[in-house]
Protein backbone atom coordinates (compact mmCIF):
# COMPACT_ATOMS: atom_id res chain seq x y z
CA UNK A 1 0.00 0.00 0.00
CA UNK A 2 1.49 3.34 -0.97
CA UNK A 3 2.26 5.52 2.02
CA UNK A 4 1.86 9.26 1.94
CA UNK A 5 5.63 9.75 2.05
CA UNK A 6 6.17 7.54 -0.99
CA UNK A 7 6.64 9.77 -4.01
CA UNK A 8 4.06 9.27 -6.70
CA UNK A 9 5.42 7.91 -9.91
CA UNK A 10 4.88 11.26 -11.57
CA UNK A 11 7.16 12.93 -9.01
CA UNK A 12 10.14 10.80 -10.00
CA UNK A 13 12.76 12.31 -12.31
CA UNK A 14 12.27 11.06 -15.84
CA UNK A 15 15.15 8.57 -15.96
CA UNK A 16 14.06 6.93 -12.70
CA UNK A 17 10.45 6.88 -13.83
CA UNK A 18 11.42 5.02 -17.01
CA UNK A 19 13.51 2.56 -15.04
CA UNK A 20 10.73 1.90 -12.52
CA UNK A 21 8.21 1.43 -15.34
CA UNK A 22 10.50 -1.10 -17.00
CA UNK A 23 11.04 -3.03 -13.75
CA UNK A 24 7.27 -3.24 -13.30
CA UNK A 25 6.63 -3.68 -17.01
CA UNK A 26 6.42 -6.67 -19.33
CA UNK A 27 8.82 -9.55 -18.66
CA UNK A 28 11.70 -9.84 -21.06
CA UNK A 29 15.22 -8.64 -21.72
CA UNK A 30 14.42 -4.93 -21.25
CA UNK A 31 12.97 -5.69 -17.84
CA UNK A 32 16.01 -7.78 -16.89
CA UNK A 33 18.31 -4.93 -17.86
CA UNK A 34 16.23 -2.48 -15.83
CA UNK A 35 16.40 -4.77 -12.77
CA UNK A 36 20.18 -5.06 -13.10
CA UNK A 37 20.53 -1.30 -13.57
CA UNK A 38 18.37 -0.53 -10.55
CA UNK A 39 20.39 -2.85 -8.33
CA UNK A 40 23.67 -1.43 -9.56
CA UNK A 41 22.38 2.02 -8.63
CA UNK A 42 21.37 0.78 -5.18
CA UNK A 43 24.81 -0.73 -4.61
CA UNK A 44 26.60 2.45 -5.59
CA UNK A 45 28.25 4.45 -2.84
CA UNK A 46 28.10 7.73 -4.80
CA UNK A 47 25.75 10.09 -2.96
CA UNK A 48 23.97 11.20 -6.18
CA UNK A 49 23.41 7.57 -7.22
CA UNK A 50 22.24 6.78 -3.74
CA UNK A 51 19.68 9.58 -3.83
CA UNK A 52 18.31 8.42 -7.17
CA UNK A 53 18.25 4.84 -5.91
CA UNK A 54 16.27 5.80 -2.81
CA UNK A 55 13.60 7.50 -4.91
CA UNK A 56 13.42 4.53 -7.19
CA UNK A 57 13.20 2.10 -4.31
CA UNK A 58 10.38 4.08 -2.71
CA UNK A 59 8.42 3.96 -5.93
CA UNK A 60 8.94 0.20 -6.25
CA UNK A 61 8.30 -0.65 -2.61
CA UNK A 62 4.48 -0.68 -2.79
CA UNK A 63 4.82 -3.34 -5.50
CA UNK A 64 7.11 -5.56 -3.41
CA UNK A 65 6.44 -8.04 -0.63
CA UNK A 66 4.83 -10.76 -2.71
CA UNK A 67 7.60 -13.33 -2.70
CA UNK A 68 8.60 -16.23 -0.53
CA UNK A 69 11.98 -15.26 0.95
CA UNK A 70 14.20 -18.27 1.56
CA UNK A 71 17.53 -17.95 3.38
CA UNK A 72 20.12 -20.70 2.90
CA UNK A 73 23.37 -21.31 4.74
CA UNK A 74 25.93 -24.08 5.00
CA UNK A 75 29.68 -24.56 4.92
CA UNK A 76 31.48 -24.40 1.56
CA UNK A 77 31.16 -27.75 -0.20
CA UNK A 78 27.91 -28.79 1.49
CA UNK A 79 26.15 -28.34 -1.84
CA UNK A 80 24.45 -24.95 -1.64
CA UNK A 81 24.82 -24.07 -5.30
CA UNK A 82 23.89 -27.59 -6.42
CA UNK A 83 20.81 -27.40 -4.19
CA UNK A 84 19.82 -23.90 -5.31
CA UNK A 85 20.21 -24.87 -8.95
CA UNK A 86 18.12 -28.03 -8.52
CA UNK A 87 15.47 -26.28 -6.44
CA UNK A 88 15.39 -23.28 -8.75
CA UNK A 89 14.83 -25.44 -11.83
CA UNK A 90 12.20 -27.47 -9.96
CA UNK A 91 10.35 -24.29 -8.99
CA UNK A 92 10.57 -22.83 -12.47
CA UNK A 93 9.04 -26.10 -13.70
CA UNK A 94 6.13 -25.33 -11.41
CA UNK A 95 5.66 -21.87 -12.88
CA UNK A 96 7.65 -19.82 -10.36
CA UNK A 97 10.20 -17.09 -11.07
CA UNK A 98 13.33 -17.39 -8.97
CA UNK A 99 15.88 -14.79 -7.91
CA UNK A 100 19.10 -15.78 -6.15
CA UNK A 101 21.06 -13.31 -4.06
CA UNK A 102 24.08 -13.75 -1.84
CA UNK A 103 25.43 -12.21 1.32
CA UNK A 104 29.16 -12.73 1.36
CA UNK A 105 31.01 -10.02 3.23
CA UNK A 106 34.27 -11.83 2.54
CA UNK A 107 33.95 -11.33 -1.21
CA UNK A 108 35.62 -7.93 -1.10
CA UNK A 109 38.55 -9.45 0.78
CA UNK A 110 38.99 -12.50 -1.42
CA UNK A 111 38.37 -10.44 -4.55
CA UNK A 112 35.66 -12.78 -5.77
CA UNK A 113 32.12 -13.47 -4.78
CA UNK A 114 30.59 -16.82 -3.90
CA UNK A 115 28.16 -16.26 -6.72
CA UNK A 116 30.49 -14.36 -9.00
CA UNK A 117 31.23 -17.50 -10.90
CA UNK A 118 28.15 -18.20 -12.97
CA UNK A 119 29.29 -21.73 -13.69
CA UNK A 120 28.23 -22.59 -10.16
CA UNK A 121 24.64 -22.65 -11.37
CA UNK A 122 25.12 -23.37 -15.00
CA UNK A 123 21.55 -24.24 -15.98
CA UNK A 124 19.71 -21.92 -13.66
CA UNK A 125 21.77 -18.92 -14.70
CA UNK A 126 20.65 -19.20 -18.33
CA UNK A 127 16.96 -19.59 -17.54
CA UNK A 128 14.87 -16.52 -18.45
CA UNK A 129 12.80 -17.18 -15.31
CA UNK A 130 15.82 -16.93 -13.02
CA UNK A 131 18.07 -14.08 -11.99
CA UNK A 132 21.31 -14.73 -10.15
CA UNK A 133 22.87 -11.71 -8.52
CA UNK A 134 26.35 -12.01 -6.98
CA UNK A 135 27.02 -10.65 -3.53
CA UNK A 136 27.72 -6.92 -3.54
CA UNK A 137 31.35 -6.35 -2.68
CA UNK A 138 30.91 -3.25 -0.60
CA UNK A 139 32.89 -4.69 2.27
CA UNK A 140 31.19 -4.59 5.65
CA UNK A 141 28.40 -6.99 6.49
CA UNK A 142 26.11 -4.05 7.18
CA UNK A 143 26.65 -2.62 3.70
CA UNK A 144 26.29 -5.98 1.99
CA UNK A 145 23.15 -6.83 3.98
CA UNK A 146 21.58 -3.48 3.17
CA UNK A 147 22.16 -3.84 -0.57
CA UNK A 148 20.81 -7.39 -0.48
CA UNK A 149 17.69 -6.35 1.40
CA UNK A 150 17.04 -3.64 -1.16
CA UNK A 151 17.78 -5.88 -4.14
CA UNK A 152 15.29 -8.37 -2.71
CA UNK A 153 12.56 -5.74 -2.91
CA UNK A 154 13.48 -4.88 -6.48
CA UNK A 155 13.19 -8.55 -7.46
CA UNK A 156 9.80 -8.73 -5.81
CA UNK A 157 8.61 -5.68 -7.70
CA UNK A 158 9.88 -7.41 -10.85
CA UNK A 159 7.58 -10.34 -9.97
CA UNK A 160 10.10 -12.92 -8.87
CA UNK A 161 7.98 -14.89 -6.45
CA UNK A 162 10.73 -16.95 -4.81
CA UNK A 163 13.81 -15.06 -3.65
CA UNK A 164 16.67 -17.17 -2.33
CA UNK A 165 19.34 -15.47 -0.23
CA UNK A 166 22.49 -17.54 0.15
CA UNK A 167 25.26 -17.03 2.68
CA UNK A 168 28.48 -18.80 3.52
CA UNK A 169 28.20 -18.11 7.20
CA UNK A 170 31.05 -15.68 7.69
CA UNK A 171 30.74 -13.82 10.99
CA UNK A 172 27.21 -12.69 11.60
CA UNK A 173 26.02 -13.13 8.03
CA UNK A 174 23.63 -15.94 8.98
CA UNK A 175 21.86 -13.72 11.48
CA UNK A 176 21.61 -11.01 8.83
CA UNK A 177 20.12 -13.42 6.29
CA UNK A 178 17.71 -14.97 8.81
CA UNK A 179 16.61 -11.39 9.56
CA UNK A 180 15.61 -10.71 5.97
CA UNK A 181 13.91 -14.00 5.05
CA UNK A 182 10.72 -15.90 5.85
CA UNK A 183 12.40 -19.27 6.29
CA UNK A 184 16.00 -19.95 7.20
CA UNK A 185 17.41 -23.23 5.95
CA UNK A 186 20.63 -24.84 7.09
CA UNK A 187 22.30 -27.39 4.83
CA UNK A 188 24.33 -30.13 6.48
CA UNK A 189 26.45 -33.10 5.42
CA UNK A 190 25.49 -36.70 6.24
CA UNK A 191 28.19 -36.91 8.90
CA UNK A 192 26.97 -33.76 10.68
CA UNK A 193 25.31 -35.77 13.44
CA UNK A 194 28.64 -37.35 14.43
CA UNK A 195 29.96 -34.03 15.59
CA UNK A 196 27.08 -31.86 16.67
CA UNK A 197 29.51 -29.67 18.58
CA UNK A 198 30.95 -28.50 15.28
CA UNK A 199 27.63 -26.98 14.26
CA UNK A 200 27.46 -23.48 15.59
CA UNK A 201 24.72 -23.48 18.19
CA UNK A 202 23.58 -20.00 17.26
CA UNK A 203 23.05 -21.07 13.67
CA UNK A 204 21.04 -24.12 14.69
CA UNK A 205 18.79 -21.85 16.70
CA UNK A 206 18.13 -19.73 13.62
CA UNK A 207 17.17 -22.70 11.46
CA UNK A 208 13.52 -23.31 10.61
CA UNK A 209 14.55 -26.29 8.53
CA UNK A 210 17.69 -28.39 8.35
CA UNK A 211 18.44 -30.38 5.22
CA UNK A 212 20.95 -33.21 5.19
CA UNK A 213 22.31 -33.05 1.66
CA UNK A 214 24.27 -35.76 -0.22
CA UNK A 215 22.04 -38.46 1.27
CA UNK A 216 22.91 -40.49 -1.85
CA UNK A 217 26.49 -40.90 -0.62
CA UNK A 218 25.58 -42.64 2.62
CA UNK A 219 21.90 -43.17 3.27
CA UNK A 220 22.47 -44.70 6.71
CA UNK A 221 24.67 -41.83 7.89
CA UNK A 222 22.13 -39.31 6.59
CA UNK A 223 19.32 -41.05 8.49
CA UNK A 224 21.46 -41.10 11.64
CA UNK A 225 22.31 -37.40 11.26
CA UNK A 226 18.65 -36.63 10.76
CA UNK A 227 17.71 -38.34 14.03
CA UNK A 228 20.55 -36.70 15.97
CA UNK A 229 19.85 -33.21 14.68
CA UNK A 230 16.11 -33.66 15.21
CA UNK A 231 16.67 -34.39 18.89
CA UNK A 232 19.16 -31.52 19.20
CA UNK A 233 16.57 -29.17 17.70
CA UNK A 234 13.95 -30.47 20.09
CA UNK A 235 16.24 -29.52 22.96
CA UNK A 236 16.60 -26.02 21.53
CA UNK A 237 12.83 -25.91 21.16
CA UNK A 238 12.37 -26.76 24.82
CA UNK A 239 15.14 -24.69 26.29
CA UNK A 240 16.02 -22.09 23.71
CA UNK A 241 12.62 -20.73 22.74
CA UNK A 242 10.78 -19.75 25.87
CA UNK A 243 7.02 -19.77 25.62
CA UNK A 244 6.96 -22.52 23.02
CA UNK A 245 5.68 -25.82 24.31
CA UNK A 246 7.05 -29.05 22.98
CA UNK A 247 3.98 -30.23 21.09
CA UNK A 248 1.98 -27.23 20.17
CA UNK A 249 0.49 -27.80 16.74
CA UNK A 250 0.02 -24.10 16.23
CA UNK A 251 3.75 -23.39 16.45
CA UNK A 252 6.34 -24.41 13.89
CA UNK A 253 8.92 -26.89 15.18
CA UNK A 254 12.09 -26.95 13.07
CA UNK A 255 12.32 -30.11 11.01
CA UNK A 256 15.13 -32.11 9.48
CA UNK A 257 14.92 -33.59 5.99
CA UNK A 258 17.36 -35.51 3.86
CA UNK A 259 17.83 -35.28 0.12
CA UNK A 260 20.28 -35.34 -2.72
CA UNK A 261 20.69 -32.06 -4.54
CA UNK A 262 22.87 -33.78 -7.13
CA UNK A 263 20.32 -36.48 -7.97
CA UNK A 264 17.38 -34.15 -7.43
CA UNK A 265 15.70 -36.59 -5.04
CA UNK A 266 13.67 -35.25 -2.14
CA UNK A 267 13.06 -31.81 -3.66
CA UNK A 268 9.31 -32.22 -4.04
CA UNK A 269 9.06 -33.38 -0.41
CA UNK A 270 11.20 -30.44 0.63
CA UNK A 271 8.91 -27.98 -1.13
CA UNK A 272 5.83 -29.63 0.43
CA UNK A 273 7.31 -29.02 3.88
CA UNK A 274 8.05 -25.41 2.93
CA UNK A 275 4.45 -24.94 1.86
CA UNK A 276 3.22 -26.44 5.14
CA UNK A 277 5.52 -24.06 7.00
CA UNK A 278 4.19 -21.11 5.04
CA UNK A 279 0.55 -22.06 5.68
CA UNK A 280 1.12 -22.54 9.41
CA UNK A 281 3.08 -19.31 9.81
CA UNK A 282 0.36 -17.38 8.02
CA UNK A 283 -2.31 -18.98 10.21
CA UNK A 284 -0.58 -18.31 13.51
CA UNK A 285 0.53 -14.78 12.62
CA UNK A 286 4.27 -15.52 12.71
CA UNK A 287 4.61 -14.76 9.02
CA UNK A 288 3.25 -11.25 9.42
CA UNK A 289 5.27 -10.72 12.59
CA UNK A 290 8.46 -11.77 10.86
CA UNK A 291 7.82 -9.38 7.98
CA UNK A 292 7.27 -6.55 10.46
CA UNK A 293 10.51 -7.51 12.24
CA UNK A 294 12.33 -7.52 8.90
CA UNK A 295 11.25 -3.95 8.25
CA UNK A 296 12.24 -2.83 11.73
CA UNK A 297 15.66 -4.46 11.30
CA UNK A 298 16.00 -2.78 7.91
CA UNK A 299 15.21 0.60 9.44
CA UNK A 300 17.81 0.13 12.16
CA UNK A 301 20.43 -1.02 9.67
CA UNK A 302 19.80 2.15 7.69
CA UNK A 303 20.00 4.27 10.82
CA UNK A 304 23.33 2.68 11.77
CA UNK A 305 24.72 3.11 8.27
CA UNK A 306 23.30 6.63 7.94
CA UNK A 307 24.74 7.80 11.22
CA UNK A 308 28.16 6.47 10.35
CA UNK A 309 28.14 8.03 6.94
CA UNK A 310 26.93 11.41 8.22
CA UNK A 311 29.55 11.27 10.93
CA UNK A 312 32.33 10.62 8.44
CA UNK A 313 31.18 13.43 6.16
CA UNK A 314 30.63 15.95 8.97
CA UNK A 315 32.95 18.92 8.20
CA UNK A 316 34.13 19.38 11.80
CA UNK A 317 34.78 15.66 12.20
CA UNK A 318 36.75 15.62 8.97
CA UNK A 319 38.81 18.55 10.19
CA UNK A 320 39.52 17.12 13.64
CA UNK A 321 39.96 13.46 12.72
CA UNK A 322 43.59 13.47 11.46
CA UNK A 323 44.97 15.18 14.57
CA UNK A 324 42.97 13.05 16.97
CA UNK A 325 43.89 9.85 15.13
CA UNK A 326 47.54 10.85 15.34
CA UNK A 327 47.25 11.44 19.08
CA UNK A 328 45.72 7.98 19.51
CA UNK A 329 48.46 6.45 17.36
CA UNK A 330 51.22 8.13 19.37
CA UNK A 331 49.66 7.10 22.65
CA UNK A 332 48.89 10.66 23.81
CA UNK A 333 45.16 10.13 23.89
CA UNK A 334 42.99 7.15 24.76
CA UNK A 335 40.97 5.91 21.79
CA UNK A 336 37.77 6.14 23.81
CA UNK A 337 38.41 9.80 24.62
CA UNK A 338 39.12 10.59 20.97
CA UNK A 339 35.91 8.85 19.96
CA UNK A 340 33.88 10.78 22.50
CA UNK A 341 35.34 14.09 21.35
CA UNK A 342 34.51 13.33 17.74
CA UNK A 343 30.98 12.27 18.61
CA UNK A 344 30.51 15.40 20.66
CA UNK A 345 31.38 17.46 17.58
CA UNK A 346 28.44 15.97 15.77
CA UNK A 347 26.19 16.63 18.73
CA UNK A 348 27.32 20.22 18.71
CA UNK A 349 28.55 20.01 22.28
CA UNK A 350 31.99 21.27 21.52
CA UNK A 351 32.16 24.71 20.10
CA UNK A 352 35.00 24.23 17.68
CA UNK A 353 37.11 21.55 16.13
CA UNK A 354 40.15 23.41 17.42
CA UNK A 355 39.12 22.79 21.03
CA UNK A 356 38.67 19.09 20.38
CA UNK A 357 42.03 18.54 18.79
CA UNK A 358 44.00 20.30 21.51
P1 LIG B 1 28.70 -25.15 -2.09
O1 LIG B 1 30.13 -24.76 -1.89
O2 LIG B 1 28.00 -25.31 -0.77
O3 LIG B 1 27.96 -24.28 -3.03
O4 LIG B 1 28.73 -26.64 -2.70
P2 LIG B 1 28.55 -27.13 -4.23
O5 LIG B 1 27.13 -27.06 -4.63
O6 LIG B 1 29.55 -26.42 -5.07
O7 LIG B 1 28.91 -28.67 -4.09
C1 LIG B 1 30.19 -29.12 -3.70
C2 LIG B 1 30.42 -30.51 -4.30
O8 LIG B 1 29.47 -31.43 -3.76
C3 LIG B 1 30.25 -30.54 -5.80
O9 LIG B 1 31.24 -31.38 -6.33
C4 LIG B 1 28.87 -31.14 -5.98
O10 LIG B 1 28.75 -31.84 -7.20
C5 LIG B 1 28.77 -32.09 -4.80
N1 LIG B 1 27.39 -32.32 -4.38
C6 LIG B 1 26.44 -31.36 -4.13
N2 LIG B 1 25.28 -31.95 -3.78
C7 LIG B 1 25.50 -33.29 -3.80
C8 LIG B 1 24.66 -34.43 -3.52
O11 LIG B 1 23.49 -34.35 -3.19
N3 LIG B 1 25.26 -35.67 -3.64
C9 LIG B 1 26.55 -35.80 -4.00
N4 LIG B 1 27.03 -37.04 -4.09
N5 LIG B 1 27.36 -34.77 -4.27
C10 LIG B 1 26.84 -33.52 -4.17
Amino acid sequence: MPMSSVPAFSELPESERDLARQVLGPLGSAQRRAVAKTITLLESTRPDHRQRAEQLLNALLPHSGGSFRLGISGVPGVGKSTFIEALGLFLIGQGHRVAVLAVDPSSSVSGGSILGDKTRMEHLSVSPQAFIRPSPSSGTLGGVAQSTREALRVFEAARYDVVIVETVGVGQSETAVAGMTDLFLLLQLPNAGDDLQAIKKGVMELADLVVINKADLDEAAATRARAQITSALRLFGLHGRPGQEAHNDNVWHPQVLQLSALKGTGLAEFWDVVKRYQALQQRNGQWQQRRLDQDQAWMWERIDAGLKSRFKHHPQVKAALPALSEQVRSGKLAASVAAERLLALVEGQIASARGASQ
Side-chain angles (χ1 to χ4, degrees):
M1 264 236 288
M3 289 171 285
S4 56
S5 57
V6 173
F9 246 76
S10 55
E11 290 170 32
L12 283 177
E14 203 172 308
S15 55
E16 277 74 63
R17 193 163 57 220
D18 286 349
L19 211 49
R21 280 217 181 96
Q22 278 176 340
V23 169
L24 299 170
L27 306 180
S29 50
Q31 194 224 22
R32 274 184 92 85
R33 275 197 303 277
V35 169
K37 220 169 147 182
T38 303
I39 295 173
T40 304
L41 209 56
L42 283 165
E43 287 174 0
S44 171
T45 48
R46 264 177 55 178
D48 58 326
H49 283 177
R50 193 60 221 166
Q51 201 191 350
R52 288 173 58 200
E54 300 271 349
Q55 289 178 317
L56 198 50
L57 190 64
N58 262 344
L60 294 176
L61 220 51
H63 303 273
S64 73
S67 83
F68 176 69
R69 303 170 183 171
L70 172 64
I72 296 184
S73 184
V75 294
V78 72
K80 290 181 297 301
S81 48
T82 311
F83 176 75
I84 294 170
E85 164 140 289
L87 179 68
L89 293 171
F90 169 81
L91 292 173
I92 288 169
Q94 298 211 328
H96 293 283
R97 282 165 46 80
V98 181
V100 183
L101 297 161
V103 172
D104 179 11
S106 67
S107 66
S108 60
V109 180
S110 61
S113 141
I114 51 169
L115 282 175
D117 179 6
K118 287 259 165 126
T119 57
R120 283 181 83 232
M121 296 170 204
E122 207 179 341
H123 300 291
L124 192 62
S125 63
V126 295
S127 167
Q129 304 306 330
F131 202 125
I132 299 177
R133 182 79 189 178
S135 177
S137 50
S138 58
T140 66
L141 174 60
V144 172
Q146 180 188 322
S147 303
T148 307
R149 219 182 254 286
E150 293 174 349
L152 189 148
R153 295 305 188 100
V154 176
F155 281 115
E156 288 182 344
R159 282 151 292 149
Y160 288 86
D161 64 345
V162 179
V163 181
I164 298 174
V165 187
E166 177 191 6
T167 182
V168 277
V170 180
Q172 293 295 308
S173 65
E174 278 133 336
T175 313
V177 170
M180 65 176 84
T181 50
D182 303 316
L183 187 156
F184 187 70
L185 166 71
L186 182 63
L187 285 188
Q188 291 289 352
L189 292 166
N191 63 2
D194 300 341
D195 189 9
L196 276 176
Q197 310 296 331
I199 306 175
K200 285 189 273 173
K201 183 167 172 280
V203 179
M204 280 282 253
E205 283 173 338
L206 292 173
D208 300 298
L209 262 182
V210 178
V211 159
I212 318 283
N213 188 35
K214 307 197 188 186
D216 59 294
L217 285 181
D218 188 344
E219 193 79 36
T223 306
R224 209 166 49 241
R226 186 178 180 177
Q228 285 163 330
I229 295 177
T230 302
S231 50
L233 283 173
R234 227 172 257 146
L235 278 177
F236 286 143
L238 285 173
H239 305 299
R241 301 181 183 200
Q244 290 189 11
E245 285 146 31
H247 297 292
N248 181 348
D249 283 346
N250 199 33
V251 171
W252 177 257
H253 298 285
Q255 294 187 13
V256 189
L257 305 171
Q258 62 197 75
L259 53 76
S260 166
L262 192 65
K263 302 242 154 80
T265 52
L267 284 175
E269 291 79 1
F270 166 78
W271 197 244
D272 279 346
V273 172
V274 169
K275 282 198 286 200
R276 278 213 302 281
Y277 168 88
Q278 195 171 9
L280 177 66
Q281 296 288 86
Q282 279 170 347
R283 225 172 32 242
N284 68 15
Q286 280 300 308
W287 184 269
Q288 296 80 348
Q289 185 57 48
R290 203 149 153 169
R291 285 281 168 110
L292 292 175
D293 291 347
Q294 289 171 23
D295 280 348
Q296 287 293 310
W298 186 11
M299 183 181 79
W300 280 106
E301 276 165 28
R302 289 305 309 273
I303 290 173
D304 284 347
L307 282 176
K308 202 161 186 177
S309 156
R310 281 178 182 74
F311 175 81
K312 281 185 174 163
H313 291 103
H314 192 279
Q316 284 178 287
V317 170
K318 273 165 95 171
L321 193 59
L324 283 172
S325 297
E326 185 43 46
Q327 289 181 37
V328 172
R329 245 195 308 272
S330 59
K332 290 192 188 119
L333 192 65
S336 54
V337 175
E340 271 309 319
R341 286 192 188 175
L342 287 163
L343 286 168
L345 285 175
V346 179
E347 289 164 9
Q349 287 171 357
I350 289 184
S352 73
R354 202 174 143 263
S357 56
Q358 272 167 5

